Each structure stands twice: as C-alpha cells, then as structure tokens.
Amino acid sequence: MREMLERAATALRSRGFEAAVLDTAAEAAEYVLSDMPQGASVAIGGSMTVRQTGLCERLRAQGRRVYWHWEVPPAERPALLHEAMGADVYLCSANALTQGGLIVQIDGNGNRIAGMCYGPQTVYVLIGRNKLVEGGYAQALRRVKEIACPQNARRQGLDTPCTREGRCNAEACASSMCHITAAFERAPGGKRTVAVLIDEDLGY
Ligand code: SF4
C-alpha cells in the first residue's frame, strides 16, 4: 500500500500540490503541527479523518484560534463557516483520490470546496489509504457515492437511497448531501495545498 501512496504523492506533485506520505494518523498530526505557520488560526472542514487525528484538541492546546462548525449548534454554523474563510490554515480530508493524483470532493453546502479554493492560504488535505482508488474520475465518484455517502448519511441520521440500497439514486433522494462535486485536477492557484497521505484507514 505504501508504494501506491508514494505513486499518488508523485502524481499530486506533478499537479502542483505538495505531498507527504506518513505511516500513521499520529505521524500525520505531528507533521501538520510542525509544518503549519506559528500561531496560525485554523479552520476545519467536516472531516472524520481530521477528528481521528486529534488535531483539533492539539491545536487548541497550542492556543490557536480554531473554527469548526461541527462543534456549534446548527443555527450558528452559517456565521462560523463564513468566519472560517478568514482563517490562515484549512484542514480537511478528501472523499476520493485517484492514483493519478485527482482529488474528488462532494459537498452539501460547499464549505470544504470553498476552503480549498479560496480563503485560507495554506491547506492540508489529510487522506487515509482507504480513499485511494484505482482508475480515474468515474471510479473516484463511485467510491464517494457507494462508500463515503452512505456512511456519512448514517452518521447524520439521513434516510437516503444510498443507505437503503447501497447505491445512489439522486432522483429519489430527498435528503441529498450531494449538491456540489469538484475534481481538483491541479492545485488551486495562489495558495499552498499539501496532500498528507496516510497509510491507515481513516474516515469514510
Ligand atoms: S445523492 Fe443521495 S442517494 Fe445519491 S449518494 Fe448522495 S446522499 Fe446518497
């Protein structure tokens, strides 16, 4: 698996991303903490992977300002998401990564995609080995729809066709989480984006 991650890292670099390959979530957390600017404020996109690294708690222990909409009541989220775009650093995961270095995200309200494109000048995308797919965009999309979305829907208590039937049926999906799909073919311009590939299963 490590070799596949190294190949994906090489492909990401050829697309303008920085990339690091780490063995564990703990090592990835150390890497991110040591690499990010001193005192930088940090926004976190919805991410089980980031939660599993324990980075939020460690960033707060360092006295940093951390914006994470998962921690506030729903009524406060829009304002916090808006504020988060002014953070120095953005942390998120990816829904899928191809071996060719294509990162694919599907968002409900677009905050992760927005955070990766605008706002924070440094972005870390933490990607567990389970997100890596063989093939291209179609396989990445399939992974998101058949693996990531059902688990995310269950976590949120949503009744969706993908949770009931194991496959997407967007026309019959009244509680869709899939509003915006983005494929990052190259690193967004004007900022630094670091893909942190981890040789552990993390997130969905
Ligand atoms: S559109 Fe609905 S059914 Fe399809 S993957 Fe998204 S949440 Fe699941």
Side-chain angles (χ1 to χ4, degrees), residues 74-153:
E76 296 175 23
R77 287 180 187 166
L80 187 71
L81 288 170
H82 184 71
E83 214 182 338
M85 288 298 105
D88 301 309
V89 169
Y90 199 73
L91 288 184
C92 65
S93 186
N95 292 131
L97 167 68
T98 72
Q99 287 193 22
L102 187 73
I103 295 173
V104 175
Q105 305 283 38
I106 296 187
D107 267 6
N109 59 24
N111 65 298
R112 283 183 317 159
I113 293 168
M116 284 184 68
C117 295
Y118 291 104
Q121 285 297 294
T122 304
V123 176
Y124 296 95
V125 189
L126 280 63
I127 308 174
R129 63 188 178 190
N130 49 317
K131 307 287 182 72
L132 193 59
V133 299
E134 290 186 29
Y137 177 71
Q139 286 71 30
L141 207 57
R142 185 171 176 181
R143 182 198 186 275
V144 183
K145 295 284 190 172
E146 294 184 1
I147 298 175
C149 285
Q151 294 183 75
N152 270 317

Side-chain angles (χ1 to χ4, degrees), residues 5 14 20 28 31-32 35 41 56 91 102-103 105 111 157-158 170 203:
L5 292 172
S14 76
Y31 170 80
V32 169
D35 189 71
S41 58
C56 182
L91 288 184
L102 187 73
I103 295 173
Q105 305 283 38
N111 65 298
L158 300 176

